[in-house]
Amino acid sequence: MNQDKIWDAYQNDKDLQFMGCRDGGRIDFFSKLIPQSVSVLNIGVGLGRLEKLLFEKGVDVHSLDPSEASIANLQSSIGLGEKAKVGYSQDIPFSENYFDFVIMTEVIEHLSDAVLKKTISEVSRVLKPGGMFVGSVPANENLIEGVVICPHCGERFHRWGHLQSFSALSLRKAIAASFEEVSVQRIVFLDFKSLNWKGKLAACLRWLQARLGKTGSNQNFYFSARMNYK
């Protein structure tokens, strides 16, 4: 399975991009989370909407993504220039102690154990002392339900390229190796603007279910962790 080909298509093919990059209120959540006048690295740009919202807010936003087309689009559409770079989370092409925040929302479930370990180390390297690592993953995902088979070669793969399924405990354990004050919360990202009254009622029930710690459909874990101040 070639992750680069999967996400290059979902992020840049106009016929596919809203299938793979639906944010369901997630991007609005993270854009509101970040304060003004801080430096931020977003790893895994999707359709670039988070960058645009943060840029408009006055955040010093930087981007990292394997897709050359996605990075070129950000460089031209909001003038990020060299602040948007092609690359991978396990080898971040920015200096150490550089950012106040690093964001990885719906990204680390795409990483193998070895790549995730290197990624966590790299994120801690580029964050300033006291900097924050924030993001999200699908909650307790059943990976088998997303498996498809290529009709040409017979390869089995997850349709979104997911390699990991996280519980709250396993996610906290993965991050805590390099960070302090690790928090993991079950959450439902909601986009009320796109819903009718029935949809809003159903969404409120899903939100309450997640707040009570009950498993349900389309739930995520939101995580945050702080670098030590040494």
Side-chain angles (χ1 to χ4, degrees), residues 163-201:
L163 300 178
Q164 302 262 10
S165 175
F166 291 98
S167 66
L169 180 61
S170 66
L171 180 58
R172 185 178 292 109
K173 183 178 179 180
I175 298 171
S178 298
F179 289 90
E180 299 180 345
E181 301 179 33
V182 179
S183 172
V184 176
Q185 303 174 40
R186 188 178 293 273
I187 193 171
V188 173
F189 295 116
L190 300 175
D191 183 10
F192 277 102
K193 299 186 294 293
S194 65
L195 301 173
N196 60 24
W197 72 268
K198 290 183 179 180
K200 290 178 181 177
L201 178 59

Side-chain angles (χ1 to χ4, degrees), residues 117-194:
K117 185 176 180 179
K118 291 179 181 178
T119 292
I120 297 297
S121 177
E122 277 289 274
V123 170
S124 66
R125 180 184 66 81
V126 300
L127 275 170
K128 298 175 182 178
M132 296 295 297
F133 178 33
V134 298
S136 64
V137 300
N140 304 106
E141 182 183 10
N142 184 341
L143 293 176
I144 294 298
E145 292 180 350
V147 169
V148 295
I149 301 173
C150 175
H152 299 288
C153 68
E155 181 182 1
R156 296 162 59 93
F157 59 95
H158 191 283
R159 64 180 302 185
W160 309 124
H162 294 180
L163 300 178
Q164 302 262 10
S165 175
F166 291 98
S167 66
L169 180 61
S170 66
L171 180 58
R172 185 178 292 109
K173 183 178 179 180
I175 298 171
S178 298
F179 289 90
E180 299 180 345
E181 301 179 33
V182 179
S183 172
V184 176
Q185 303 174 40
R186 188 178 293 273
I187 193 171
V188 173
F189 295 116
L190 300 175
D191 183 10
F192 277 102
K193 299 186 294 293
S194 65

Side-chain angles (χ1 to χ4, degrees), residues 2-14 17 21 42-48 51 63-76 80-81 83-90 93 107:
N2 189 320
Q3 294 264 7
D4 291 1
K5 289 184 178 180
I6 290 175
W7 284 101
D8 194 56
Y10 282 133
Q11 291 175 181
N12 298 291
D13 187 322
K14 292 183 179 180
Q17 59 184 199
C21 299
N42 183 39
I43 301 177
V45 304
L47 302 181
E51 277 81 359
S63 301
L64 180 66
D65 195 277
S67 170
E68 293 183 6
S70 295
I71 292 300
N73 178 58
L74 281 174
Q75 289 173 331
S76 62
L80 289 189
K83 292 182 179 181
K85 297 187 177 184
V86 176
Y88 296 89
S89 60
Q90 66 268 32
V107 174

Side-chain angles (χ1 to χ4, degrees), residues 74-111:
L74 281 174
Q75 289 173 331
S76 62
S77 64
I78 56 176
L80 289 189
E82 289 303 308
K83 292 182 179 181
K85 297 187 177 184
V86 176
Y88 296 89
S89 60
Q90 66 268 32
D91 187 20
I92 299 175
F94 290 98
S95 302
E96 62 183 39
N97 302 331
Y98 199 88
F99 298 104
D100 298 299
F101 284 82
V102 172
I103 303 172
M104 294 184 74
T105 172
E106 307 304 292
V107 174
I108 68 174
E109 66 272 17
H110 295 267
L111 309 180

Side-chain angles (χ1 to χ4, degrees), residues 17-29:
Q17 59 184 199
F18 288 103
M19 293 176 61
C21 299
R22 296 174 182 173
D23 62 62
R26 175 172 52 87
I27 298 304
D28 292 328
F29 175 90

